[in-house]
Amino acid sequence: MIRLFDIVLSLLGLIFGFPVMLVIYCFGLFDTGSPLFFQRRVGRDREVFTLVKFRTMAVDTESVASHLASRTSVTRLGAFLRKTKLDELPQLWNVLVGEMSLVGPRPNLESQLELIEARNQLQVYSVRPGITGLAQVNGIDMSAPSLLAETDSKMIQTLTVKSYFKLIFATVLGGGQGDAVSR
C-alpha cells in the first residue's frame, strides 16, 4: 500500500513541482554551473544506487557525509535549498523508479561503515530508504550512527499509513533541520 502512495505522490510531485524544479535548475546554473548532484548511496538490501539532488555545495567539494563537509562549501542558493528542503525534490525520481520511498531511513554513503554496521544489526536495510523519516523530523543526523540506526529501526517497526503521512506532513511543515553541516 505504501509503495502505491509513493508512486502516486512522487508522480504528482514531479508533474506539479516541475516548474519549481526548472526555476531551481536555472538558478543553479548561475550558482555552480552544475545544478544537479549525483551520489552513490546504499539502499534496500545494501544495493547501491545513484541518488539525485539539487547541488547545494561548490562543485569541487569532496563527496562526504554532510556533517563532515565544510560549512564554507555551501553556496548561498544551497543554504536556501537546504533550509527549505527543496534540494530533495529531484529524489522524487528515485522514489518513482523504486530505489527510494518518501518515508524511510535516509540512504547513507558507502563509506559510512559504522552506520552500515549499526543498520545491518537492526535490519534497517530490509526497506527502501526514504527522503524523510523519524530521525529527520527529530533532527538526528548521520553523525550519531547508533542513535540513527535505532531510530530508523523503531520507525520501520511502527510504520503505518497514518505515520507515513504524519512524517511527510511534519517534513513539509518544517520538521527537522535538513542535513547538518557542522565544520
Side-chain angles (χ1 to χ4, degrees), residues 56-62 69-75 181:
T56 61
M57 297 185 189
V59 174
D60 60 349
T61 303
E62 185 180 358
S70 170
R71 189 177 309 236
T72 59
S73 297
V74 178
T75 67
V181 178

Side-chain angles (χ1 to χ4, degrees), residues 23-131:
V23 168
I24 294 170
Y25 185 88
C26 291
F27 276 111
L29 286 172
F30 291 105
D31 187 48
T32 63
S34 179
L36 292 176
F37 175 70
F38 301 90
Q39 190 175 54
R40 290 171 50 93
R41 296 285 183 104
V42 181
R44 185 180 193 173
D45 298 325
R46 290 185 62 185
E47 297 267 335
V48 176
F49 70 99
T50 302
L51 177 133
V52 60
K53 293 175 76 165
F54 282 118
R55 184 177 298 282
T56 61
M57 297 185 189
V59 174
D60 60 349
T61 303
E62 185 180 358
S63 184
V64 297
S66 291
H67 67 278
L68 298 175
S70 170
R71 189 177 309 236
T72 59
S73 297
V74 178
T75 67
R76 279 186 286 176
L77 175 62
F80 170 76
L81 294 176
R82 282 173 175 260
K83 184 176 181 180
T84 59
K85 300 179 184 74
L86 291 171
D87 62 320
E88 310 285 352
L89 283 176
Q91 289 173 68
L92 291 172
W93 176 256
N94 293 110
V95 174
L96 185 63
V97 299
E99 297 166 328
M100 293 179 70
S101 176
L102 291 174
V103 175
R106 278 302 285 161
N108 54 271
L109 297 169
E110 295 172 284
S111 62
Q112 292 177 288
L113 301 179
E114 188 179 348
L115 180 55
I116 290 171
E117 181 58 34
R119 283 180 162 176
N120 250 349
Q121 290 178 3
L122 297 172
Q123 295 158 343
V124 171
Y125 293 112
S126 65
V127 299
R128 285 182 181 87
I131 294 177

Side-chain angles (χ1 to χ4, degrees), residues 14 22 91:
L14 286 166
L22 186 59
Q91 289 173 68

